[in-house]
Amino acid sequence: MNKGGGMKKMKYVLVTGGVVSGLGKGVTASSIGVLLKACGLRVTSIKIDPYLNTDAGTMSPFEHGEVYVLDDGGEVDLDLGNYERFLDIKLTRDNNITTGKIYQAVIDKERRGDYLGKTVQVVPHITDAIQEWIERVAMIPVDEQPGPADVCVIELGGTIGDIESMPFTEALGQFSYRVGAGNFCLIHVSLVPVLSAVGEQKSKPTQHSVRGLRSLGLTPNILACRSTLALEENVKQKLSQFCHVPAENIITLYDVPNIWHLPSLLRDQKAHGAILGALNLLGVAREPNLKEWTSRAESCDMLLEPVRIAIVGKYTGLSDSYLSLLKALLHASVSLRKKLVVDWVPASDIEDETAKENPDAYKAAWKLLQGADGVLVPGGFGDRGVEGKILAAKYARENRIPFLGICLGMQIAVIEFARSILGLQDANSTEFDPDTTSPCVIFMPEGSKTHFGGTMRLGSRRTYFQVMDCKSAKLYGNRGFVDERHRHRYEVNPDMVSTLEDAGLSFAGKDETGQRMEIVELPNHPYYIGTQFHPEFKSRPGKPSALFLGLIAAACGQLDSLLHAHKIPNGMAKKVSLYQNGNATKFAKIPADGIYSNCNGVHA
């Protein structure tokens, strides 16, 4: 892009939302990034969250969906997971801006005396800090290529008009003026509802939303309207007239079978032309090539043969709590030409206590678990549902059902093994029973019991395989080590490892010290694997996570052929695994994803 030498000018695309929250701004921003990348541009992303938390690490998944973990240990909003998956990039913690981070940075400067005695105010000090943060982070390379990207896509969380986002809208209004026309494009995502009584698309909510946007100093270049069906021409004309946006720059984001269709949907409505025109890039970018995206989306729609995976967890009432898990399962099932069906099993519902208190829920939960082809036990915090997770692990182990336990899921697999095989009836984690005489899982020495934010073992860490003749090593391509992301403050007790291994449990992966257990396997089981790390965070649509691929393959009876197909001969040590160190793409709400769920009509 930089043909004339010197420093190239960063281009910015801002995505805002109006009328209601939950319109899919994150998926829209990700799809815009995919479209621009398909035009030959390098893209980076920033997510602005107006809440006061410094990061997402201390928030309940019920509150805000899953906490997504980055390579650098940043605990961030789940939309950064969308960006990484869609765009095949690796973001940093600074790519997630929060009110807490901004205010903390400004207050730290004030305490140092950087403002030279001035009265520190929202304008200009907070708004300047926001703009400086955006400009600094936009220049960080995220695609493993030298130099900054061409375009930075910024998503402003929340809804236009929210009190908490006012400093950001003010800052972005100033920012658009500062960087100048030709370097800034604003895309406003809004709702065009259809009232069932009338059956007519209503444009008034979007009109009011744009009026509010303009009053805050921001002028939309493009309107992206969420609706069940494509916008009618008269509605488009009315929006153009009252919102002062050319009709060709009004795009409908109507419902699609799965979200991988979104980049093509934007391309077909010439969204790239409108964005490139606003950014003065029409002479630089090429026509978008979305062949891979289109074929993947279409093949996903045509999958018929189901594979049922039971997710036994605490937060099953909100599928966003397990978003990356769902994506990883989807990536693996699509690559194996299977239609993913997720059965949500609330962990507490399969406990003996529920059998007495709510026998119907108990029977329903066990029926789902027993009907599954594979069992996945994800991470979590707190003791609610732990005994149910232990029962799920026991069921999968005894009945030779493919099982994958992640983080806490691995720890409960170890606890269950100690109870059932070693006969240690009070085996437990000190997280749940501090006084247990058989502590299988203990608090890590470097953790903090008084401060919870950012004090866990976080980010990308290296796991070294101790045994090469095991399923996990083979799935990772017979590599000596693997880098995966972590988020935990408890670990398997190293003092109990030799006893557990003597009884038949194999700790196939450990950290560089050999004292921290990373991967556990049951060698005599068709597929029984637990990991302390979170492999789901590096799964990508074209590059599924190795262990999720193994779970789906085992659930379909294809594991042996998969292991044989990807066996790496001796002497090819440098060969890179097809599944390792994934790249990015993304998801949506499940029916739009190809994932089907039993959860009261709520799609995963």
Side-chain angles (χ1 to χ4, degrees):
M1 256 192 68
N2 185 21
K3 292 182 180 162
M7 188 110 172
K8 70 180 179 186
K9 192 110 175 167
M10 177 65 68
K11 308 284 185 176
Y12 299 92
V13 175
L14 173 63
V15 179
T16 61
V19 185
V20 293
S21 59
L23 284 176
K25 293 190 303 297
V27 175
T28 303
S30 302
S31 300
I32 289 163
V34 168
L35 189 59
L36 294 174
K37 191 176 175 184
C39 293
L41 300 170
R42 292 173 60 203
V43 182
T44 184
S45 294
I46 293 175
K47 172 71 190 293
I48 297 174
D49 283 303
Y51 48 68
L52 276 168
N53 304 61
T54 302
D55 60 32
T58 56
M59 289 192 283
S60 162
F62 280 131
E63 228 14 71
H64 211 69
E66 78 170 0
V67 177
Y68 188 80
V69 181
L70 301 171
D71 264 6
D72 67 0
E75 297 173 284
V76 295
D77 184 80
L78 58 81
D79 276 321
L80 274 81
N82 296 346
Y83 307 153
E84 285 205 339
R85 282 185 287 265
F86 265 85
L87 296 170
D88 194 1
I89 55 179
K90 289 184 181 177
L91 298 171
T92 70
R93 67 180 73 226
D94 285 352
N95 288 81
N96 193 190
I97 303 176
T98 69
T99 298
K101 284 181 182 175
I102 295 293
Y103 274 76
Q104 191 170 56
V106 170
I107 290 168
D108 287 347
K109 287 178 76 175
E110 185 273 330
R111 292 288 84 187
R112 287 197 304 267
D114 291 4
Y115 294 113
L116 301 174
K118 289 189 182 297
T119 304
V120 181
Q121 298 174 290
V122 174
V123 181
H125 301 103
I126 295 294
T127 51
D128 283 354
I130 293 166
Q131 294 176 68
E132 288 162 11
W133 193 300
I134 290 171
E135 285 189 304
R136 173 176 62 84
V137 173
M139 302 301 285
I140 299 172
V142 294
D143 56 3
E144 298 180 340
Q145 294 183 47
D150 302 315
V151 182
C152 176
V153 179
I154 305 165
E155 180 194 345
L156 175 60
T159 307
I160 288 298
D162 291 347
I163 290 174
E164 61 182 4
S165 62
M166 287 297 182
F168 292 102
T169 48
E170 173 61 30
L172 289 163
Q174 294 177 20
F175 189 68
S176 66
Y177 177 73
R178 245 185 61 211
V179 299
N183 295 311
F184 190 88
C185 176
L186 198 165
I187 300 172
H188 188 58
V189 182
S190 186
L191 178 68
V192 177
V194 176
L195 299 183
S196 55
V198 187
E200 178 188 0
Q201 293 177 333
K202 309 302 283 186
S203 66
K204 194 64 74 178
T206 297
Q207 292 179 41
H208 284 299
S209 182
V210 171
R211 189 176 301 141
L213 194 62
R214 287 180 180 282
S215 71
L216 296 167
L218 290 165
T219 303
N221 301 86
I222 297 167
L223 285 183
C225 299
R226 283 288 287 115
S227 189
T228 49
L229 301 171
L231 279 190
E232 296 162 10
E233 197 56 39
N234 66 313
V235 177
K236 197 179 274 193
Q237 291 302 327
K238 190 184 287 186
L239 284 170
S240 175
Q241 183 180 355
F242 288 105
C243 298
H244 307 165
V245 175
E248 61 269 21
N249 286 13
I250 298 176
I251 292 153
T252 317
L253 300 175
Y254 54 82
D255 293 348
V256 288
N258 74 72
I259 56 146
W260 293 341
H261 285 287
L262 270 178
S264 303
L265 181 67
L266 290 167
R267 177 202 59 197
D268 294 345
Q269 296 178 69
K270 302 290 189 287
H272 57 289
I275 298 167
L276 296 172
L279 297 177
N280 285 340
L281 290 174
L282 281 170
V284 177
R286 62 175 187 239
E287 276 297 301
N289 175 13
L290 290 170
K291 187 177 178 183
E292 187 181 333
W293 276 90
T294 307
S295 63
R296 185 182 296 127
E298 289 173 351
S299 65
C300 182
D301 291 343
M302 293 187 289
L303 298 177
L304 296 173
E305 191 177 338
V307 56
R308 304 192 76 92
I309 301 296
I311 297 182
V312 184
K314 287 178 63 173
Y315 315 111
T316 53
L318 180 69
S319 62
D320 272 3
S321 302
Y322 299 118
L323 193 53
S324 292
L325 284 173
L326 287 168
K327 297 306 145 187
L329 287 170
L330 179 67
H331 302 159
S333 57
V334 168
S335 75
L336 292 172
R337 311 291 303 150
K338 303 297 179 193
K339 176 179 170 181
L340 178 63
V341 181
V342 171
D343 287 327
W344 295 102
V345 181
S348 52
D349 282 4
I350 59 175
E351 294 175 357
D352 296 340
E353 198 70 25
T354 307
K356 304 170 196 166
E357 295 173 0
N358 191 343
D360 289 345
Y362 179 80
K363 287 176 189 170
W366 270 104
K367 185 178 180 182
L368 286 174
L369 183 61
Q370 291 167 345
D373 302 312
V375 176
L376 173 62
V377 177
F381 296 91
D383 58 3
R384 181 173 64 83
V386 166
E387 291 302 320
K389 290 184 175 185
I390 290 172
L391 286 168
K394 181 182 175 75
Y395 165 77
R397 182 182 59 79
E398 291 182 342
N399 292 278
R400 301 179 67 76
I401 306 296
F403 171 89
L404 178 60
I406 294 173
C407 198
L408 176 62
M410 165 181 152
Q411 295 171 5
I412 63 99
V414 173
I415 293 167
E416 189 280 321
F417 188 87
R419 288 183 185 180
S420 300
I421 305 301
L422 295 179
L424 303 173
Q425 291 308 311
D426 73 332
N428 215 327
S429 166
T430 56
E431 180 180 6
F432 314 124
D433 180 6
D435 302 319
T436 176
T437 58
S438 304
C440 293
V441 178
I442 58 171
F443 192 80
M444 291 190 298
E446 67 266 42
S448 168
K449 293 191 177 182
T450 56
H451 288 73
F452 294 111
T455 58
M456 288 185 275
R457 182 169 179 253
L458 293 163
S460 183
R461 308 290 177 118
R462 185 157 288 182
T463 294
Y464 293 88
F465 288 105
Q466 310 297 303
V467 191
M468 294 312 291
D469 186 24
C470 65
K471 296 180 183 71
S472 53
K474 289 174 183 174
L475 286 165
Y476 275 114
N478 291 343
R479 301 176 62 186
F481 61 83
V482 61
D483 296 318
E484 293 281 12
R485 299 176 184 179
H486 295 69
R487 184 176 184 248
H488 66 112
R489 50 169 63 91
Y490 288 82
E491 63 174 334
V492 173
N493 185 351
D495 294 339
M496 290 192 67
V497 166
S498 58
T499 307
L500 290 162
E501 287 192 319
D502 289 345
L505 203 59
S506 171
F507 289 97
K510 300 180 182 180
D511 76 343
E512 68 281 356
T513 69
Q515 293 299 299
R516 189 154 281 158
M517 304 305 113
E518 294 281 7
I519 303 173
V520 64
E521 283 193 32
L522 263 182
N524 59 357
H525 190 285
Y527 192 85
Y528 193 91
I529 294 178
T531 67
Q532 188 58 74
F533 52 78
H534 290 262
E536 69 270 23
F537 291 140
K538 291 176 82 168
S539 179
R540 305 295 180 251
K543 306 170 188 175
S545 164
L547 300 180
F548 281 87
L549 196 69
L551 175 67
I552 298 293
C556 301
Q558 297 179 10
L559 182 61
D560 288 344
S561 57
L562 179 73
L563 292 176
H564 181 75
H566 298 293
K567 185 177 180 183
I568 296 179
N570 293 333
M572 291 183 66
K574 294 283 285 183
K575 177 109 174 176
V576 178
S577 167
L578 174 65
Y579 315 113
Q580 183 47 22
N581 292 336
N583 295 328
T585 320
K586 185 35 204 141
F587 72 106
K589 297 286 182 193
I590 289 331
D593 238 4
I595 306 176
Y596 298 83
S597 149
N598 67 334
C599 192
N600 300 325
V602 178
H603 294 279

